[in-house]
Amino acid sequence: MKQSKLAPVVCACLAAFAVAHCGDDATPPAGGGNNCAALASMVPGAWRPVASGTTDSILSMWASAPDRLYILGEQTLRRYNGTAFVAGPMVGLMDEMGKRNFRLVSIGGVGDSIFAAGATIPASGSAEAGVGAMLRFPVMGGMPPTTSAEVMANLGGTELRMFWGSSATDIWAVGTDQAWHYDGTRWTNSSMGITAGSDLQAIYGFGTSDLWAVGAKVYRGNGTTWTEQPLSGSTYYYGVWGASANDVWLVGTSAAQRWDGRQFNRVLTGTTGVLRAVWGSSATDVWAVGAGGAAVHWNGAAWGPVPSMTTRDLRTIWGFSANNIWAAGDNGAVVNYTASSPPTPAGNCNQNTDMTNFGDGMGLRLAATSQTICARRGDGTAACWGANNNGMIADGTRETRSTPSNIMGLTGVVDVAVGRFHGCAVKSDGTAWCWGIGRNGQIGNGMMVDQATPVQVQGVDDALSVAVGDAHSCVVRRSGTASCWGANADGQVGDGTNSNRAFAVTVSGPTDFQQIDAGPNHTCGIRSNGGVSCWGRGTQGQLGNGMRVTSATPVEATGIADALAVSTGLGHTCVARNSGAVFCWGSNADGQLGDGTMMDRATPTAVPGISTALGVGAGEKHSCVLLRNGGARCWGSNAFGQLGNGTSTSSLTPVVVSVVDRAIAIVTGFGFSCALRGSGQVLCWGSNMNGQLGRGNIGGNGVTPEPVTGL
């Protein structure tokens, strides 16, 4: 059982028994290389608010140096001088005849000039359709003058929204249904192929012959002609950015699209709101910001939310490096992300002064029947603690560990998962590695023997995330397909057979998985359309298709079309939905479905009282949910205190988990639960039979959450 892939979100994002990367949608992840049932891609820093000195809505930003960062509003230009924002050269700019002023929406620098684009505004104040404006501020000593800018052009037929340039003689601007090109001397309409209704909002390029323009439609240009690109879904796109010509991101409403050089794949971003802008320092460090202060991070495997410390709509983003990023938006809101700053508690989160053990970007993972837990550290290493009798910790011993112990020889980890008998990890190069009991082929190296240290899974070099059951393993691949291997008596490998597999085989059917999670004997995955497909043991209704039969190929869970995170338990499954609701199905003998009954359910059933879910965890006989405010709720069996409410009384409906706040991930295992805070601190509660609470001792129970030591 994996967990949601998120990053420190506006207070939290997590899932059930894995925490390796958190979700594709800041609010709910959905899709595309997003293992959102395992959280794992925490980023090490935090956002902080910065006074901008204006209440004007900031629509664009650009910088030539850290002390020359410009924020642009319709009638405002201010510069950050390294300490504070100060007035810029624009105050009520007028054109050369003094007849019109300008509504400017985009700023950038090319060559020896700073440019601003937008439209002219008549005296009435309403936008004057058909009159695009491009202004230039000549640079003097690295700064624009304090006088009015030169009006380069009034471009008919469009209201400019954004521009991009490869050099001073190659600048492109887009807006409404047109594109314009500047060759250093004059502007030329270059809109061939762009049709009515395109409403272009943004442009990005890799040279004059490879351009992307997005809005209501998406186009790729070769410098002469634009070609509309086919996309899945009808999302409106506001931002575009690329790490390379074969790795381009579009962001918009509820989801993102990723171009892999051949096609676009829809990827949930961890938020259901509108994302307005995207920027990255590399293919594994991409940020997007948008409505309600949403800020989400892509770590190369999945998106996850990170608290931006503002609830204002963010409309623009700019970065100097992975450790210094700026975003701005409505009412003059400006926030800055730095890797060295301790997190500032979000205003809508429960405050807690315990900021010890400031994190390094880790995520947690475990399986429902597991008594071992693993965490991925920000430096790419991984550590585990708890049961180790089968070598699940891979530290060269079989000794139980009550504090974290490093996995031997494993670096570059982007996702890690551990089950009852073995563990697996995915590295940044796309390879998968497994260790522990291997007699059913779950190690994936073609041999059915145990492995004390990680060995490479054969035939997998493009993995995004990993899930581990009792004796089988699965990965989501960059293509959107899923591959599994290991025990297959119940069809949990999903290839249509019941034969154990010592090599990775492709799961039959779907080719658009965004996240996958493995229970002891069944597996479920989220599809790019928000649906959930499950396969394997189904005798308790855990496949969610209305039947109580086992299936060796994926079947669709009934009525789910907006899944954010999925988690598979011993005999049940739970999903967090984009709406914030949680639905569960399968075994309910201990109330683990949370619907107030003890009746098994063969179709998804709502958990009452949950409307702000970000992640979910299905354990052995209990379940937990991560809420958007960073809190948590749990339900089901509480024999060991795994509900975390200070008692050992079971509950058929959700109860509040004590102490947990500012959480970004949650996982559930065999009689215990853990949550990851945005600060990097891990809290665990419940059974400590094998030291899985990470408190330095073995035995006893913990009915309230306490920190893991040694991380």
Side-chain angles (χ1 to χ4, degrees):
M1 307 165 202
K2 261 168 104 173
Q3 231 50 140
S4 196
K5 254 184 167 193
L6 277 67
V9 52
V10 181
C11 251
C13 162
L14 188 43
F17 45 66
V19 183
H21 18 356
C22 204
D24 275 53
D25 268 11
T27 286
N34 151 41
N35 211 354
C36 216
L39 177 100
S41 157
M42 302 306 94
V43 293
W47 292 91
R48 64 184 178 91
V50 178
S52 66
T54 180
T55 57
D56 193 10
S57 289
I58 299 165
L59 306 176
S60 181
M61 61 171 46
W62 173 82
S64 59
D67 62 348
R68 296 189 183 113
L69 172 70
Y70 298 94
I71 55 174
L72 177 76
E74 293 181 1
Q75 285 287 305
T76 300
L77 179 62
R78 297 181 68 80
R79 180 179 69 90
Y80 187 71
N81 62 11
T83 304
F85 281 96
V86 296
M90 276 177 26
V91 180
L93 278 176
M94 306 291 286
D95 70 8
E96 64 271 30
M97 299 300 293
K99 295 179 180 178
R100 299 187 178 101
N101 55 20
F102 298 95
R103 183 180 68 163
L104 299 176
V105 297
S106 181
I107 187 174
V110 182
D112 63 352
S113 299
I114 294 176
F115 296 86
T120 58
I121 304 175
S124 65
S126 60
E128 182 175 334
V131 183
M134 180 66 74
L135 287 76
R136 178 171 58 194
F137 299 85
V139 175
M140 295 181 180
M143 286 189 57
T146 57
T147 58
S148 296
E150 169 193 2
V151 179
M152 288 185 67
N154 283 340
L155 309 179
T158 188
E159 178 181 340
L160 298 182
R161 304 282 172 70
M162 183 175 286
F163 66 95
W164 173 89
S166 64
S167 70
T169 58
D170 180 35
I171 301 173
W172 291 81
V174 295
T176 53
D177 301 328
Q178 294 187 9
W180 291 78
H181 181 247
Y182 180 68
D183 62 6
T185 303
R186 64 191 181 93
W187 287 89
T188 304
N189 192 311
S190 184
S191 304
M192 184 178 295
I194 297 174
T195 60
S198 297
D199 199 19
L200 298 177
Q201 301 287 323
I203 185 171
Y204 193 82
F206 301 95
T208 191
S209 60
D210 190 6
L211 303 159
W212 292 90
V214 305
K217 300 178 182 180
V218 174
Y219 294 91
R220 191 175 191 183
N222 61 11
T224 303
T225 304
W226 296 89
T227 303
E228 185 175 352
Q229 303 295 305
L231 298 173
S232 60
S234 57
T235 299
Y236 195 107
Y237 293 97
Y238 293 92
V240 56
W241 177 87
S244 69
N246 295 324
D247 189 4
V248 179
W249 284 99
L250 319 178
V251 297
T253 305
S254 300
Q257 295 274 357
R258 188 184 192 189
W259 172 258
D260 62 8
R262 299 175 296 107
Q263 64 183 11
F264 279 104
N265 299 292
R266 183 173 179 269
V267 182
L268 294 184
T269 56
T271 180
T272 52
V274 175
L275 292 174
R276 294 281 182 177
V278 58
W279 175 89
S281 68
S282 69
T284 57
D285 179 47
V286 184
W287 290 86
V289 295
V296 292
H297 177 254
W298 169 261
N299 70 344
W303 288 94
V306 182
S308 70
M309 304 308 156
T310 181
T311 58
R312 301 293 187 184
D313 288 357
L314 295 174
R315 299 181 179 276
T316 180
I317 188 170
W318 179 269
F320 296 99
S321 69
N323 298 330
N324 187 8
I325 304 159
W326 294 79
D330 288 359
N331 298 93
V334 174
V335 290
N336 174 224
Y337 173 87
T338 57
S340 59
S341 300
T344 302
N348 63 342
C349 294
N350 296 326
Q351 303 302 307
N352 189 306
T353 57
D354 179 7
M355 298 297 287
T356 60
N357 191 24
F358 178 64
D360 58 356
M362 51 185 166
L364 309 174
R365 297 293 294 291
L366 68 155
T369 55
S370 177
Q371 296 181 47
T372 309
I373 188 166
C374 292
R376 183 193 67 80
R377 289 193 167 107
D379 63 1
T381 62
C384 304
W385 62 96
N388 194 27
N389 55 307
N390 293 309
M392 297 88 76
I393 290 179
D395 65 351
T397 77
R398 292 182 181 272
E399 298 178 10
T400 295
R401 299 294 187 182
S402 60
T403 57
S405 182
N406 287 341
I407 297 175
M408 292 181 61
L410 210 56
T411 60
V413 176
V414 296
D415 193 14
V416 60
V418 63
R420 187 177 179 186
F421 301 114
H422 75 296
C424 294
V426 166
K427 298 177 67 171
S428 58
D429 61 3
T431 58
W433 300 71
C434 295
W435 60 90
I437 297 295
R439 59 201 63 172
N440 291 295
Q442 59 264 52
I443 303 301
N445 65 340
M447 303 177 67
M448 295 190 177
V449 297
D450 300 351
Q451 299 290 339
T453 56
V455 297
Q456 187 171 352
V457 176
Q458 298 301 300
V460 175
D461 60 4
D462 61 348
L464 291 172
S465 59
V466 64
V468 169
D470 267 9
H472 76 292
S473 315
C474 297
V475 292
V476 173
R477 309 185 75 149
R478 199 166 292 277
S479 63
T481 59
S483 294
C484 298
W485 58 94
N488 198 28
D490 291 291
Q492 58 265 51
V493 168
D495 67 344
T497 77
N498 295 105
S499 301
N500 291 355
R501 301 295 187 182
F503 292 104
V505 295
T506 301
V507 174
S508 300
T511 59
D512 61 343
F513 283 106
Q514 307 296 305
Q515 173 210 334
I516 200 169
D517 194 41
N521 304 102
H522 78 291
T523 314
C524 292
I526 293 177
R527 310 270 302 281
S528 62
N529 62 3
V532 174
S533 296
C534 297
W535 59 96
R537 183 178 296 178
T539 53
Q540 294 172 293
Q542 58 264 57
L543 303 188
N545 65 336
M547 310 285 286
R548 289 179 170 82
V549 296
T550 292
S551 177
T553 57
V555 297
E556 291 300 299
T558 303
I560 303 294
D562 64 342
L564 161 62
V566 63
S567 183
T568 50
L570 175 61
H572 73 294
T573 306
C574 290
V575 164
R577 305 181 68 164
N578 280 333
S579 63
V582 170
F583 279 63
C584 297
W585 57 93
S587 174
N588 198 25
D590 292 274
Q592 56 264 56
L593 302 189
D595 65 350
T597 77
M598 298 175 69
M599 297 173 55
D600 291 357
R601 305 287 186 180
T603 56
T605 302
V607 178
I610 302 296
S611 60
T612 60
L614 274 180
V616 65
E620 184 213 13
K621 297 179 180 179
H622 77 293
S623 307
C624 294
V625 61
L626 174 72
L627 303 178
R628 294 174 192 171
N629 68 356
R633 304 286 186 273
C634 296
W635 57 91
S637 174
N638 198 26
F640 306 106
Q642 61 262 50
L643 301 190
N645 65 340
T647 77
S648 57
T649 303
S650 298
S651 178
L652 303 181
T653 55
V655 296
V656 175
V657 179
S658 304
V659 180
V660 172
D661 59 7
R662 293 172 290 130
I664 56 175
I666 194 165
V667 297
T668 53
F670 184 87
F672 77 110
S673 312
C674 294
L676 173 65
R677 280 178 168 159
S679 65
Q681 185 183 64
V682 177
L683 303 171
C684 293
W685 59 96
S687 173
N688 197 37
M689 182 185 305
N690 284 285
Q692 59 264 49
L693 300 189
R695 301 176 182 179
N697 68 301
I698 297 172
N701 302 322
V703 296
T704 56
E706 292 185 18
V708 171
T709 61
L711 280 177

